[in-house]
Amino acid sequence: MFLAAGNVMLAVGSDRIEDMGGVVRHLPLTFFAFGLAGVSIMGLPLSGGYVAKWLLLNASLESGQWGWAAVAIAGSLMAAGYVFRIWMHGFGKPQPCATLLAVPRGMQLSALALSFLALAMGISSEPLIRVLHAGGAFG
């Protein structure tokens, strides 16, 4: 997600969300990568973030610490808010007199590859979870 945000900052020349109107037409791969990474940070199913949030929620509920479950859910909702806000501006009306700089294709593909990796970690999470449970015998 940070690589995708850096690509947008490079293209727009600013870090202000309001300045990125219509940039999705110029950087579709970058915005797709930002969306996939956002799905993982929100903790939506089939992503690595979902597995992590699920484990956190289960642990907090099993130990009776409901406050931490509320914090995890609130964090997911706040993440959704800022991801959708950036998407709203990205798909919005282009800024007048805005000149967008070219972003090398390799930079866009690296952000996309990492976002697919975050998705793949959720899809194939069972081996990773088995490693976590293997340490339980020593605790």
Side-chain angles (χ1 to χ4, degrees), residues 43-124:
L44 295 180
L46 295 182
S47 68
Y50 171 75
V51 174
K53 295 243 175 162
W54 183 256
L55 291 172
L56 283 171
L57 286 173
N58 277 341
S60 64
L61 294 177
E62 285 177 4
S63 65
Q65 298 179 358
W66 296 85
W68 291 116
V71 167
I73 292 170
S76 293
L77 293 175
M78 286 191 293
Y82 69 74
V83 168
F84 289 132
R85 181 171 181 229
I86 291 172
W87 266 64
M88 180 183 67
H89 283 282
F91 279 99
K93 189 172 115 176
Q95 294 291 324
C97 302
T99 55
L100 298 175
L101 301 174
V103 177
R105 183 68 104 191
M107 289 175 65
Q108 294 184 52
L109 291 176
S110 63
L112 187 63
L114 287 176
S115 63
F116 274 124
L117 185 63
L119 188 67
M121 286 177 62
I123 293 171
S124 62

